[in-house]
Amino acid sequence: MPVRLKTVSRRMRSRAAGVSMKTPVRPEIQALSAYHVAEADGMVKLDAMENPYAWPACLPEALQQQWLEVLRQARLNRYPDPHAKRLAATIRDVFAVPAASDIVLGNGSDELIHLLITAVAAPDAVVLSVAPGFVMYPMIALFNRVKYVAVPLLAEDFSLDMAAMREAIEQYQPKVVFLAYPNNPTGNLFARQQVEEIIDRAPGWVVIDEAYAAFAADSFLSRLREFPNLLVMRTLSKMGLAGLRLGYLCAAPELVSELDKIRLPYNINSLTQLSAEFALAHREILDQQASALCRQRQQMMERLQDMPGLQVFPSQANFILFRTQHKDASGVFAALKQSGVLIKDLSATTESLKGCLRVTIGLADENEKFLAALEMALG
Ligand SMILES: *Cc1c(COP(=O)(O)O)cnc(C)c1O
């Protein structure tokens, strides 16, 4: 022990003296900053696409007790079921996953993105998506040393630039194409036929990321059999259970079995398995919440459209993207924060999101607070 302490203190001394230690960390990792989550204590939190209905407080008392009973049966001295078979069967049943498709579960869909990119990672591999798009695709590509190509969406409405997509697919022969459907951070659904064309043209896998399926009018889940290279990925996060960390990916069995080889054996913990099964057995509660949020989205959309100086983009998700046309977006963001409302400032992320802010749909009173604060900030 004393020896170790000495070593540490010598190291600390040399660091203090400005002697740089050689780090084994790759330069591109050193250049990153860790994923930043904004401080939100006591704020109206409308920045992260979370569901505002607190679980389990949103449940009737009797159901809360039932859930606790279920948790009491957990045996945390044992490893969880490595395949989470009961949970996978529940997901298949509740979401009508086609019988011919298999399911792989992830610790959030973020972990599934990791599995997918790890499976194809090679010096010449390319992962293709669109910009603006979901930030984790390029991040995870970088972690895996895979080249990431993002095709810009059309600036006026964030729809797919099909000419550019065709060209990029032809040129890069991507191993995986990721399309969030609806897209984050823009909220729109891409045209269905254009997505089909991309699936047809792509030489590798096409992952349709349906993180916002609960709020969207369309899905590719029922169409897995039509496209052998199609994978549909979803998550419980946006439908009310972000704290559980559970994502699922549905695809042809031969494809799922490859991903299963690189999945860490116990990636879905016992408490998540039990809680998710319980929650999905009461799916109607989650569905009612999603419907209520869609109604709130409609109201919010109308109120925002009525405010002068805003360009509001259509949304099939639980958030709305809008552009402040006359005021500096970061100033508006800061004013909202001053009023205790936290949303997301996207204005500095890419050229096409200049002036853009994104607000997550919350409870009626939270949305009211946001709208009032926004009116003040624009006023
Ligand atoms: C939120 C989000 C995810 C990640 O969800 P987790 O399951 O919480 O990891 C994946 N894709 C998109 C497009 C998202 O917006």
Side-chain angles (χ1 to χ4, degrees):
M1 250 350 221
V3 175
R4 210 175 124 206
L5 284 176
K6 220 180 200 167
T7 319
V8 170
S9 73
R10 197 184 305 136
R11 261 197 215 154
M12 284 166 61
R13 242 178 293 131
S14 68
R15 194 183 298 171
V19 180
S20 69
M21 256 203 314
K22 262 207 186 119
T23 170
V25 177
R26 286 191 264 146
E28 65 270 32
I29 303 294
Q30 286 184 59
L32 291 175
S33 37
Y35 189 79
H36 175 69
V37 177
E39 201 51 63
D41 268 357
M43 310 260 294
V44 175
K45 192 173 182 316
L46 301 176
D47 65 326
M49 281 83 88
E50 291 149 323
N51 182 316
Y53 297 96
W55 180 283
C58 67
L59 301 175
E61 183 59 32
L63 275 187
Q64 291 190 38
Q65 285 306 324
Q66 276 183 39
W67 174 59
L68 290 172
E69 267 316 306
V70 167
L71 290 187
R72 224 188 287 280
Q73 292 158 24
R75 295 290 170 262
L76 295 186
N77 56 317
R78 302 291 178 195
Y79 282 106
D81 173 358
H83 301 289
K85 286 183 291 294
R86 277 200 356 222
L87 175 55
T90 304
I91 287 175
R92 177 180 291 288
D93 189 42
V94 167
F95 297 110
V97 177
S101 305
D102 272 359
I103 302 173
V104 57
L105 302 181
N107 190 312
S109 39
D110 287 348
E111 190 194 22
L112 295 169
I113 299 168
H114 219 312
L115 287 183
L116 288 158
I117 299 183
T118 305
V120 303
D124 62 341
V126 170
V127 167
L128 187 94
S129 189
V130 297
F134 185 45
V135 290
M136 291 313 289
Y137 310 147
M139 292 282 282
I140 295 174
L142 182 140
F143 301 161
N144 284 285
R145 308 188 126 184
V146 169
K147 184 180 165 74
Y148 178 80
V149 174
V151 176
L153 296 171
L154 294 174
E156 57 274 21
D157 61 358
F158 300 115
S159 60
L160 290 164
D161 180 343
M162 284 307 286
M165 285 303 285
R166 288 183 199 112
E167 201 180 307
I169 290 172
E170 182 61 31
Q171 180 183 349
Y172 295 107
Q173 298 288 307
K175 304 280 185 205
V176 188
V177 177
F178 284 99
L179 291 176
Y181 189 80
N183 190 39
N184 173 13
T186 56
N188 57 313
L189 273 182
F190 300 128
R192 180 186 250 266
Q193 274 126 333
Q194 294 181 339
V195 174
E196 289 168 7
E197 182 186 331
I198 289 168
I199 302 170
D200 279 333
R201 279 178 186 266
W205 294 341
V206 178
V207 181
I208 303 299
D209 180 349
E210 297 189 351
Y212 300 95
F215 315 100
D218 195 30
S219 164
F220 276 83
L221 186 65
S222 65
R223 308 188 57 198
L224 281 165
R225 282 186 63 179
E226 290 173 49
F227 308 97
N229 61 333
L230 169 64
L231 303 91
V232 174
M233 184 169 72
R234 289 189 178 171
T235 174
L236 300 198
S237 295
K238 313 292 159 59
M239 57 185 291
L241 297 162
L244 284 185
R245 306 304 299 129
L246 184 71
Y248 61 100
L249 181 83
C250 310
E254 51 287 11
L255 215 152
V256 166
S257 69
E258 296 297 338
L259 295 172
D260 229 15
K261 294 178 197 168
I262 50 176
R263 183 178 59 81
L264 298 179
Y266 304 110
N267 63 331
I268 312 299
N269 74 72
S270 306
L271 297 179
T272 292
Q273 292 191 28
L274 290 169
S275 296
E277 266 175 56
F278 180 84
L280 293 178
H282 300 281
R283 187 200 174 174
E284 68 285 353
I285 296 172
L286 301 175
D287 286 346
Q288 281 160 15
Q289 293 173 353
S291 311
L293 290 170
C294 286
R295 286 194 298 275
Q296 285 292 320
R297 175 180 71 197
Q298 181 58 30
Q299 284 183 23
M300 180 100 104
M301 186 67 81
E302 288 163 15
R303 296 275 295 276
L304 289 174
Q305 281 164 344
D306 283 346
M307 287 188 199
L310 292 187
Q311 181 184 12
V312 190
F313 295 95
S315 171
Q316 293 269 319
N318 66 340
F319 60 85
I320 294 176
L321 182 77
F322 61 97
R323 177 176 280 132
T324 59
Q325 289 164 306
H326 309 307
K327 287 247 173 180
D328 168 55
S330 296
V332 172
F333 169 80
L336 286 168
K337 204 167 160 187
Q338 272 297 315
S339 322
V341 180
L342 186 65
I343 64 169
K344 183 83 177 175
D345 181 6
L346 296 165
S347 61
T349 53
T350 65
E351 184 60 26
S352 62
L353 290 176
K354 245 179 112 169
C356 285
L357 300 170
R358 184 189 65 196
V359 60
T360 303
I361 310 297
L363 300 172
D365 66 316
E366 296 176 316
N367 301 337
E368 282 305 327
K369 278 184 192 140
F370 159 71
L371 288 163
L374 181 62
E375 229 150 24
M376 286 245 299
L378 291 173

